[in-house]
Amino acid sequence: MRTVELLLDEAAELVVWEAWRRLADAGLPSQAHHRSPTNRPHLTVAACPELTAPIRWELAEVAAVLPLSVRFTGVVRFERPTSVLAWALDLDSALTGLHRRVWEAVVSDSPPETLNPFHQPGRWSPHITLGRTRRAGVFADRRIPELLPAPPLSARLTTLRSYDTQTGALEVLEPRP
């Protein structure tokens, strides 16, 4: 699979790294434990089996609108197949529009059954993951948010990239010249 992700500006990224460190220091699941050199705070927008030429064409247009300002809204927890602790982002009209364009790009040239339904418009919950584990309920303790630094009030999404989950390769998706 190929993810489509947005990276944060440097100041916001540093705050996320601090949250990761604090969770790890407390012995909790944290993205800080993920030692891959590609591991950076990011917002996953979609995923598809392959970045075909039509998808790349559309994503180049999306990359051209960056940077995009976003607002953090606080801590959120998900219990899906994995337990996730994250900072949620406000799904304002600009982020909704960007997400819709990415979704339409991947839908345009991907078999529907290969797409994650959680990335569909109307179901997507924009968030920056702080920790993840297969242990259910590990982030249910009400004191966990007290361990974290305050999320940035705002940030900029600066770079569109893709991660290949099979090869581990990263690719920055540039706007067309």
Side-chain angles (χ1 to χ4, degrees):
M1 288 299 272
R2 295 291 299 259
T3 63
V4 180
E5 305 171 349
L6 291 158
L7 299 180
L8 297 166
D9 66 77
E10 185 177 343
E13 187 173 270
L14 289 173
V15 178
V16 175
W17 278 102
E18 175 64 14
W20 290 2
R21 185 193 62 75
R22 289 186 187 187
L23 287 171
D25 288 351
L28 292 164
S30 167
Q31 291 304 100
H33 298 301
H34 190 294
R35 296 289 183 208
S36 168
T38 63
N39 185 36
R40 286 181 68 182
H42 65 274
L43 171 62
T44 302
V45 186
C48 57
E50 180 183 356
L51 291 182
T52 63
I55 293 172
R56 287 174 180 282
W57 181 261
E58 296 300 322
L59 292 179
E61 287 190 6
V62 172
V65 305
L66 299 176
L68 179 73
S69 293
V70 292
R71 290 186 320 266
F72 285 77
T73 61
V75 174
V76 65
R77 295 176 185 94
F78 301 105
E79 291 292 336
R80 293 179 180 158
T82 58
S83 294
V84 175
L85 180 71
W87 277 333
L89 296 174
D90 181 30
L91 189 54
D92 63 12
S93 61
L95 186 54
T96 297
L98 182 143
H99 173 253
R100 183 166 298 284
R101 290 176 71 186
V102 170
W103 180 257
E104 288 171 357
V106 299
V107 165
S108 73
D109 205 29
S110 298
E113 69 277 3
T114 65
L115 301 176
N116 184 334
F118 288 119
H119 292 152
Q120 290 179 349
R123 292 193 68 190
W124 182 62
S125 297
H127 63 278
I128 306 297
T129 299
L130 304 176
R132 142 187 356 254
T133 182
R134 294 197 184 278
R135 296 182 315 214
V138 74
F139 296 118
D141 187 327
R142 295 187 187 277
R143 295 172 293 173
I144 288 177
E146 296 169 10
L147 294 171
L148 302 173
L153 294 177
S154 63
R156 288 178 304 121
L157 301 171
T158 61
T159 306
L160 189 67
R161 77 173 188 178
S162 179
Y163 175 71
D164 186 320
T165 61
Q166 291 186 329
T167 67
L170 274 180
E171 177 184 359
V172 172
L173 302 170
E174 300 282 352
R176 282 192 298 277

